[in-house]
Amino acid sequence: NAGVMQNPRHLVRRRGQEARLRCSPMKGHSHVYWYRQLPEEGLKFMVYLQKENIIDESGMPKERFSAEFPKEGPSILRIQQVVRGDSAAYFCASSPPNRGLADTQYFGPGTRLTVL
Amino acid sequence: AQSVTQLDSQVPVFEEAPVELRCNYSSSVSVYLFWYVQYPNQGLQLLLKYLSGSTLVKGINGFEAEFNKSQTSFHLRKPSVHISDTAEYFCAVSLNPYSGGSNYKLTFGKGTLLTVNP
């Protein structure tokens, strides 16, 4: 049973380019979460998605960042016109469809984004 | 808003020694508490979690943690560590949904790098 898959594992972009980060949840999971870890910081919640729905995007920066989780295919976190401050590790997590009191979130290995 | 403080960024220990990784949290409502471990080049893996009930929680790989409400702490312990325990350890909290919080939104500490030396 494959875990949460993220690709690419490392991504280098120049300022002004777009970054696309992909996350494939565990088989059977329909809830996806994105977190960002800035240097020397803990992981911070960005967004919670279910298939074709954004449930909570309270942690997303207001501009340049967007996320989707289509009916088919992986979840995508898109960062437009990247700046150096976007350099961070981006983690995706997934959980099963019937949410209990505190369903375990299963994390992927992360994508390390470096903006030159 | 809740917050998590992991007091030690790095903890070096010798193999077979006991270890305690400290975690304190701040929240105006009751919380759920978690410890995750991240091995090199891997995702975060849940070690244990506290939702309610007994304050001593046992997890995988011989780890345990104790919830102390008065000290707002959730320290992680292991009586005898192995080389294979070398990893980064993250403490996290989420809001108890019965307090009206969003229990899916984890707030993490900055992590503690545990290095076990032979």
Side-chain angles (χ1 to χ4, degrees):
Chain A
N1 185 14
V4 178
M5 309 289 286
Q6 289 189 249
N7 66 82
R9 296 290 307 277
H10 300 274
L11 181 62
V12 179
R13 285 287 178 267
R14 296 189 181 280
R15 282 178 295 169
Q17 291 184 318
E18 179 180 281
R20 279 187 174 226
L21 288 62
R22 295 175 187 77
C23 168
S24 296
M26 285 181 71
K27 187 175 181 180
H29 286 192
S30 56
H31 300 252
V32 166
Y33 316 82
W34 285 93
Y35 292 80
R36 177 168 68 173
Q37 185 181 28
L38 294 169
E40 309 299 321
E41 298 288 331
L43 283 74
K44 290 199 168 33
F45 170 84
M46 299 180 75
V47 62
Y48 164 33
L49 310 107
Q50 294 177 18
K51 287 281 188 181
E52 300 184 282
N53 281 308
I54 298 175
I55 306 302
D56 181 348
E57 56 182 349
S58 58
M60 289 276 273
K62 299 299 181 195
E63 297 178 350
R64 302 185 298 106
F65 284 72
S66 62
E68 63 177 6
F69 188 18
K71 188 175 180 182
E72 302 291 338
S75 175
I76 306 286
L77 178 68
R78 181 191 300 176
I79 312 172
Q80 296 178 299
Q81 299 175 345
V82 296
V83 300
R84 289 217 173 106
D86 297 333
S87 294
Y90 293 83
F91 291 91
C92 168
S94 71
S95 66
N98 297 314
R99 301 211 70 254
L101 285 177
D103 275 331
T104 298
Q105 293 182 22
Y106 295 83
F107 283 80
T111 294
R112 269 77 179 169
L113 172 65
T114 301
V115 179
L116 302 178
Chain B
Q2 65 274 27
S3 67
V4 176
T5 302
Q6 292 183 244
L7 296 164
D8 306 299
S9 59
Q10 298 187 47
V11 173
V13 295
F14 287 109
E15 195 174 16
E16 298 184 6
V19 70
E20 179 179 81
L21 305 184
R22 296 180 292 169
C23 172
N24 288 86
Y25 68 93
S26 172
S27 176
S28 57
V29 298
S30 63
V31 296
Y32 292 157
L33 294 150
F34 307 80
W35 275 99
Y36 281 84
V37 59
Q38 185 181 28
Y39 300 103
N41 297 314
Q42 295 186 28
L44 281 72
Q45 177 185 359
L46 182 69
L47 274 177
L48 47 80
K49 62 185 178 185
Y50 171 79
L51 305 184
S52 64
S54 173
T55 57
L56 183 63
V57 181
K58 293 190 183 298
I60 62 172
N61 302 339
F63 284 93
E64 64 179 31
E66 185 154 21
F67 170 55
N68 188 318
K69 188 175 181 180
S70 62
Q71 297 186 5
T72 60
S73 68
F74 191 55
H75 300 335
L76 181 71
R77 293 191 289 260
K78 186 170 182 178
S80 176
V81 294
H82 303 289
I83 299 283
S84 59
D85 292 322
T86 294
E88 183 118 35
Y89 292 78
F90 293 93
C91 181
V93 302
S94 68
L95 297 180
N96 185 322
Y98 295 110
S99 301
S102 302
N103 62 325
Y104 53 80
K105 195 181 296 186
L106 294 171
T107 297
F108 285 84
K110 294 183 180 181
T112 297
L113 178 61
L114 173 65
T115 303
V116 181
N117 298 301

